[in-house]
Every structure is written in C-alpha cells, then in structure tokens.
C-alpha cells in the first residue's frame, strides 16, 4: 500500500501531431480541501471552492470539475454505492442562502438539488438516504434528490453523521441523536462529529472531546496529555485511532483513549481540518491540513497528495524546468511535464507571506519576486536560483508588491511594483535595485523591455521610459493590466486594458480593439510564429479563459475551454511554439498543444 501511494502515475505529454482543443491539467498539486471517498475514487473540494477535483486512481492524478458559480462549497460527500454521485454543501453569495449541489458524473458537472434559506454546512450519505445540515434543521433525501426537512430536527445544525440506523448531529453547540424516529438532545458539546461502527467522537473547539461507544446513547470525556483547552481537531479514523490536536500538539490513541502518543504532525503539516480514508486502506489516512492534502500511516511521515488547484500567478521556463509561482510559493517540474506532482519549495524568508507574483529567466539565471510582509510593511523579496528553481537565495528587498520581473538589455532587470508609486531597476542582473519614484504611477501590473527602453502597464495608464526609468511618459490613459513587445519587431506593442486591447505597429500610436471580453483581461503572450494569446478572469460565472489573435492583435477569438473558464493569470508559449501553458485561478497549470 505504501508503494501504491508513493508511485505517481505519469500523464502522457501532449503529442505534437497537431493542435488540440483539449487542455490538460498538469499540476502542480498545490491545494487541499474537504475530502470524500467512494470505492477507489477520491474527491477534494477546496475550502470555499467552486469546483471539485476527482481522482479515480487513488490520488495519482486528478481531474478538475466544471466551475459551479451558484455557490461556494463547505462540505462534500460521495455515495458509497454509486461513487459518481457527489453532493456539495455550501452558501450562495449576497444573501446568506445555501444550497446542495448534486453530480452524477463524478463531480464533472453539478446541478442544484436543494436551496435553503441559510448556508448548508454539511452533507452525508448513509442508510439509503442523503442528509444536509443547515440552520433550519436537517434535510433528508434519497440519492441527493427529493429533499424534505426532518420533523423535529434541531435548528442550527452544523454536522451530520449516519451511525448505523441512527443519525447523530452537532446542532446548537451540542449533540442530537435521531433514533427510532425520535430526536434526543444531549449536553455533550459538539461542532464536529466522526464515527466508526458504534463509536462516535464529538469535538467542540472550546468544549473538549467526548466519546460514545453506543452510537450516542452515553458519553464520557476524553482526556490526554494535553493542557490546552482549545481543540483544533478531534475524531476517530477508519483504523480506530482517536486523534486530538490542541495548541499543545497532535496526539493519537489506538485504544480508545487509554494511552496516547504525541506525533510530529503539527510541525509537518500544521493544523488538521479533516481526515479520511479509502475503505480498504484504513491505515492510510489522508489529512486536509494547512499545507494541503497529505497521506500518512503514522502522522510522522507525510506524502503530499494535494490537488492541482493552486492559484498560479506567474510562469517561467529555466533550462529543462517549468516553474510556477503560486500563492503558497513556487513549484518546479522537469520538461516535458509528465506528472501533476511537482517539487515544492516551501521555504520563505523571515516574513509573513509566500506569494510568488513574478518570475523571469535568462541564460541560466532564474529570478522570482516574492510578496510578503516584514513587520507591517509590504515587501518584495527578490530571489535568485542558478539551478532551475531548485534552490533560492535572496538578493534584494524593496518596498511594495510585484507582479512583474523582466530582464532588459545587458545586465538590466526591471521590477514592477504596486502599493508604492515606484518601480525598480537593477544594473547588475538583479543583485541590487535602484528605486524610480514617479507620483503618476498607481500600481504596475506588467513591465515589458526592449532595446530602447521599457513599457509600464500601470493602473493609471500605459507609460514609456527610454532612460532606465529616470523619466516616464504616459502613452495611454486608463487601467492597463499587461503589455507585450514583439521580440521580432519592437515597434509592435500590445497593451491590455480591463476589457479592451490597444495595438501599435509603429511604437507610437495605438488603435483600440474594444470589448474584447466582458471579463477582466489579464496576461498576454506571443508564440515564435507571432500568434498572440490573451487571458481573462471571471469574478462571477465563467470567463473565456484564453483568447487568440492571428493578426497581431487587431481581432480576437475564443481559444479557451471549460478547463480554464475560471480565469487565467499567466500565459507562456514554449520556445518551439508547440505548447501553450496557462496559469489559472485555483486550477494550477493547464497545457494545450499548438501543433
């Protein structure tokens, strides 16, 4: 079983026989979420997420489901008798209402099965029924359909468990039990319930851990070698271990609380949120923790399982490595990409924050801009790698945040910044930077360099500098999100606004292509053949994902697909022009063959 979880299934690289209409999610596995298991299938719902990831091979590879714009998810459950039937509980934006979504195609697509006046906080299958917990009480359905509110069910229901023929619910801060058609309230504190056979464990953040051996009929307090009163996690796992995590650490008991062992779990993966297992592998437990999803047999040694749901802010190719900058740090994998599991560099300087907003590579040098806080100040940490992103050294720290880092002529490097009215120039390859302050700048999203100077896509307009940033001149007004200079013709410049694109073929005058997208436009990239690709982001509903221009930016057509419809933050075309990489919003990196 250890071998089974340790082996990573290779995803065949896209063939170069011709262009493809399909996007492949190639990772990195950089996100965690709520867990559900049915047969050999595992499901992960990222916290407050709007899609579910499915693995049919026990976590070796993952498929990203379609976006469900109706709500944000809070819990997921899979029908053990029909593994492709999945329920998601959650809340709708704006009014505090809730819903249960149902899928019958393995979390590929969902439809609304139940709407409620308040958020649905949990869903479960058991005893031939489906259940949903909300402020109104507990709803019951069959296979996720035909819902009705159970008479007498407790209000303010937070968690629901089917225990044999009974239903045990955490509601109003205590345990309630439905047995033989009758509800019984207890004084046992609870906001989360887990069970195994007749054994039930109730946990409350400020109320301790309680244990029942008779399906909730009687209870006793669980005590152990901890003194902290805040219970971060408490439950029973599929192999019969009771696990408790407090501010004192993580503890496991294999004899129903008679004796305890402290583990290194807190140091390894931080705070636990949820634990789950495949039915035939109870000793292998999957943990949803602060660092993602991990598999472990002892809570001392962990293997990242994760899902390819990272929010990718930047992309770069350095030698034979593809590097993705995310909200958690940077990930690296060998080209061609054959697995969704990438190397993760979780290291960070002594600061709060780990967002890699910018990457740049040239001649064996890879630079990244890390956005973090040092004390109460927004700080950009510029870091350098000479081994294709495997290890990093901090070379400079400057005020602000960044989404753009680019090599200029010679040893110049330009660093865009926002939250300060400035940008930065390096004359020594990124080892040190000089600040260029300009009151007109409101926040730089992208910098593009050519032999004569730089273009700045700023929240206040498009700017041009021909003296390494000493002076800047506004060329276009209005918010600009990206700018690109054609490497074959520096007079061909493409500037990206919120919804329109501006194109110049003489480096001076620009023509506007209006209403390219109803969503916010983001990154722009060009292939060696001159074809342009443009990303878009939807803040509600679905976006076009990627658009394409075959005429230098004069006109655009949709080049997206359901896999990238949530939005695209970064685009990169391979040097041979055969592959397009898209760094997506909460969907990791997608790859598409260009032929």
């Amino acid at each position: 079983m250890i071998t089974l979880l340790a082996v990573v299934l290779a995803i065949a690289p896209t063939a170069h026989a011709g262009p493809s209409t399909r996007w492949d999610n190639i990772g990195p596995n950089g996100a965690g979420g709520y867990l559900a298991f049915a047969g050999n299938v595992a499901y992960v719902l990222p916290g407050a997420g709007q899609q579910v990831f499915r693995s049919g091979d026990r976590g070796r590879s993952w498929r990203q489901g379609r976006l469900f714009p109706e709500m944000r998810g809070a819990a997921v459950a899979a029908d053990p008798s029909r593994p492709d039937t999945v329920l998601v509980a959650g809340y709708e934006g704006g009014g505090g209402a809730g819903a249960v979504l149902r899928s019958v195609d393995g979390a590929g697509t969902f439809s609304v099965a139940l709407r409620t006046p308040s958020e649905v906080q949990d869903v479960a299958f058991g005893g031939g029924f489906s259940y949903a917990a909300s402020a109104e009480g507990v709803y019951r359905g069959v296979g996720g359909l035909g819902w009705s509110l159970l008479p007498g069910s407790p209000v303010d229901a937070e968690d629901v468990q089917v225990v044999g023929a009974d239903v045990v619910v955490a509601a109003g801060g205590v345990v309630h039990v439905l047995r033989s058609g009758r509800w019984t309230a207890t004084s046992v504190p609870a906001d989360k319930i887990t069970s195994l056979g007749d054994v039930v464990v109730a946990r409350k953040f400020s109320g301790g851990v309680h244990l029942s051996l008779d399906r909730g009929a009687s209870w006793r307090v669980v005590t152990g070698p901890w003194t902290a009163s805040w219970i971060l996690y408490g439950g029973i796992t599929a192999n019969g271990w009771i696990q408790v995590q407090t501010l004192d650490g993580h503890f496991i008991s294999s004899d129903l609380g008679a004796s305890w062992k402290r583990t290194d779990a807190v140091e390894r993966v931080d705070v636990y949120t949820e634990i789950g297992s495949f039915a035939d592998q109870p000793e292998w437990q999957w943990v949803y923790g602060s660092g993602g999803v991990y598999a472990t047999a002892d809570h001392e040694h962990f293997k990242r399982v994760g899902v390819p749901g990272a929010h990718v802010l930047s992309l770069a190719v350095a030698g034979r490595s593809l590097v993705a900058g995310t909200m958690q740090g940077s990930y690296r994998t060998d080209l061609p990409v054959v697995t969704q599991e990438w190397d993760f560099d979780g290291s960070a300087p002594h600061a709060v924050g780990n967002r890699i907003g910018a990457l740049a590579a040239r001649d064996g040098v890879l630079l990244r801009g890390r956005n973090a806080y040092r004390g109460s100040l927004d700080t950009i940490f510029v870091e350098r790698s000479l081994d294709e992103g495997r290890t990093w050294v901090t070379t400079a720290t400057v005020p602000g945040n960044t989404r753009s880092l680019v090599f200029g002529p010679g040893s110049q490097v330009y660093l865009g910044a926002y939250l300060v009215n400035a940008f930065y120039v390096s004359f020594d390859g990124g080892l040190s930077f000089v600040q260029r302050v300009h009151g007109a700048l409101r926040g730089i999203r992208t910098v593009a360099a050519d032999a004569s100077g730089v273009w700045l896509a700023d929240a206040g307009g498009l700017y041009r500098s021909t003296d390494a940033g000493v002076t800047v001149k506004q060329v276009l007004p209005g918010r600009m999100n990206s700018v690109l200079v054609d490497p074959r013709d520096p007079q061909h410049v493409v500037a990206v606004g919120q919804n329109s694109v501006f194109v110049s073929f003489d480096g001076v005058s620009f023509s506007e292509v209006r209403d390219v997208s109803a969503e916010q436009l983001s990154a722009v990239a060009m292939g060696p053949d001159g074809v342009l690709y443009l990303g878009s982001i939807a803040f509600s509903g679905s976006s076009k994902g990627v658009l394409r221009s075959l005429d230098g930016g004069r006109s655009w057509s949709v080049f997206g697909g359901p896999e990238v419809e949530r939005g695209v933050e970064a685009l990169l075309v391979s040097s041979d022009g055969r592959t397009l990489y898209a760094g997506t919003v909460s969907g990791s990196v997608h790859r598409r063959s260009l032929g």
Side-chain angles (χ1 to χ4, degrees):
M1 296 179 186
I2 295 175
T3 303
L4 178 63
L5 280 174
V7 172
V8 179
L9 179 66
I11 304 171
T14 304
H16 296 314
S20 171
T21 59
R22 187 186 72 182
W23 292 88
D24 295 318
N25 191 326
I26 59 173
N29 287 348
Y34 301 104
L35 306 169
F37 299 85
N40 291 326
V41 180
Y43 296 97
V44 173
L45 167 71
Q50 292 183 283
Q51 71 260 87
V52 175
F53 292 83
R54 178 190 188 275
S55 175
D57 53 19
R58 298 181 183 252
R60 301 187 196 100
S61 62
W62 294 88
R63 183 194 74 188
Q64 181 182 13
R66 291 288 300 273
L67 179 73
F68 42 83
E70 295 90 351
M71 69 172 200
R72 293 189 174 274
V76 61
D79 190 336
S81 62
R82 293 184 292 272
D84 282 341
T85 299
V86 183
L87 301 179
V88 171
Y91 58 93
E92 298 179 349
V100 173
L101 304 183
R102 179 175 182 263
S103 173
V104 294
D105 61 2
T109 59
F110 284 87
S111 59
V112 177
L114 172 68
R115 279 197 165 92
T116 59
S118 64
E119 174 184 351
V120 181
Q121 299 199 50
D122 194 29
V123 283
F125 286 98
F129 296 99
S130 50
Y131 296 88
S134 73
E136 302 86 64
V138 179
Y139 292 85
R140 184 171 67 184
V142 178
L145 296 174
W147 295 92
S148 61
L149 192 62
L150 284 173
S153 61
V155 298
D156 297 325
E158 298 179 74
D159 199 63
V160 56
Q161 281 278 312
V162 180
V163 185
D166 304 330
V167 179
V168 183
V169 176
V174 297
V175 172
H176 299 253
V177 181
L178 175 62
R179 178 173 292 124
S180 301
R182 180 179 178 182
W183 286 100
T184 302
T186 74
S187 59
V188 176
D191 52 26
K192 184 72 175 178
I193 295 170
T194 57
S195 65
L196 177 67
D198 290 341
V199 180
V200 185
V201 174
R203 178 219 79 164
K204 188 172 177 61
F205 177 75
S206 58
V209 180
H210 289 71
L211 173 69
S212 172
L213 303 180
D214 50 13
R215 306 197 312 277
S218 61
W219 297 85
R220 65 176 173 86
V221 177
V222 175
T223 59
W226 56 85
T227 58
S229 58
W230 287 354
I231 307 299
L232 306 178
Y233 179 83
I236 187 167
T237 52
N239 65 344
W241 289 355
I242 296 178
Q243 304 200 27
V244 175
Q245 189 178 84
T246 75
L247 296 179
D248 296 329
H250 178 268
F251 306 86
I252 57 177
S253 172
S254 59
D255 50 15
L256 299 179
S259 60
W260 294 89
K261 175 187 176 182
R262 180 192 294 268
T263 77
D264 292 333
V266 175
E267 291 77 13
R268 302 291 185 185
V269 297
D270 203 12
V271 178
Y272 282 21
T273 298
E274 190 169 278
I275 299 178
S277 302
F278 290 104
D280 61 346
Q281 293 182 339
E283 67 276 23
W284 268 105
Q285 293 152 24
W286 286 25
V287 177
Y288 170 26
S290 300
V293 177
Y294 295 84
T296 180
D298 58 7
H299 300 269
E300 302 275 351
H301 305 86
F302 295 85
K303 171 181 170 52
R304 178 184 290 273
V305 179
V307 294
H311 190 137
V312 177
L313 301 170
S314 52
L315 289 169
V317 170
R320 297 299 303 169
S321 294
L322 177 64
V323 181
T326 76
M327 301 291 282
Q328 295 81 33
S330 66
Y331 296 78
R332 188 212 65 85
T333 188
D334 294 330
L335 288 169
V337 183
V338 295
T339 173
Q340 291 178 340
E341 188 63 59
W342 300 17
D343 297 333
F344 174 59
D345 174 27
S347 63
H350 295 294
V352 177
N354 203 18
R355 292 169 290 125
I356 308 302
L359 291 163
R362 188 174 73 182
D363 299 334
V365 177
L366 179 62
L367 299 177
R368 70 181 180 186
R370 181 195 303 274
N371 297 322
Y373 299 96
R374 173 165 283 178
S376 59
L377 299 177
D378 292 280
T379 302
I380 305 168
F381 293 82
V382 180
E383 298 163 323
R384 184 174 69 164
S385 174
L386 301 179
D387 55 10
E388 302 182 356
R390 292 174 175 85
T391 60
W392 299 86
V393 174
T394 300
T395 60
T397 58
V398 295
N401 275 273
T402 185
R403 287 299 308 275
S404 185
L405 186 62
V406 60
F407 284 96
S411 59
Q412 292 183 9
V413 177
Y414 292 92
L415 178 67
Y418 57 94
L419 302 182
V420 293
N421 299 105
F423 68 104
Y424 301 91
V425 183
S426 172
F427 297 96
D428 55 14
L431 298 179
S432 63
F433 285 84
V434 177
Q435 187 181 62
R436 303 300 200 201
V437 178
H438 297 283
L441 297 178
R442 294 173 51 196
I444 296 173
R445 175 64 184 262
T446 307
V447 179
D450 56 44
S452 301
V454 290
W455 296 90
L456 309 175
D458 183 77
L462 178 68
Y463 290 85
R464 174 70 167 163
S465 175
T466 57
D467 54 9
V470 175
T471 61
V472 296
K473 177 183 178 181
Q474 187 183 69
V475 179
L476 291 171
R479 182 182 180 88
M480 296 292 159
N481 293 326
S482 190
V483 61
L484 175 145
V485 178
D486 189 336
R488 307 166 307 166
D489 178 8
Q491 291 186 320
H492 180 202
V493 183
V494 180
V496 179
Q498 283 289 84
N499 310 107
S500 299
V501 174
F502 303 83
V503 184
S504 175
F505 292 94
D506 60 8
V508 177
S509 59
F510 284 80
S511 299
E512 181 178 3
V513 184
R514 296 180 179 273
D515 302 324
V516 172
S517 173
E519 299 82 31
Q520 176 179 296
L521 297 173
S522 55
V524 62
M526 177 181 282
D529 55 0
V531 176
L532 290 162
Y533 301 91
L534 177 61
S536 65
I537 298 175
F539 295 99
S540 62
S542 301
S543 76
K544 295 179 176 64
V546 177
L547 301 103
R548 181 178 65 172
S549 175
L550 303 176
D551 56 10
R554 296 180 181 91
S555 62
W556 298 85
S557 60
V558 177
F559 196 67
E563 299 86 358
V564 294
E565 66 182 7
R566 179 71 182 273
V568 173
E569 289 270 24
L571 288 168
L572 177 68
V573 183
S574 62
S575 59
D576 61 8
R578 291 180 169 181
T579 307
L580 175 64
Y581 299 98
T584 68
V585 176
S586 303
S588 289
V589 180
H590 284 69
R591 174 182 59 195
R592 181 168 174 172
S593 172
L594 300 177

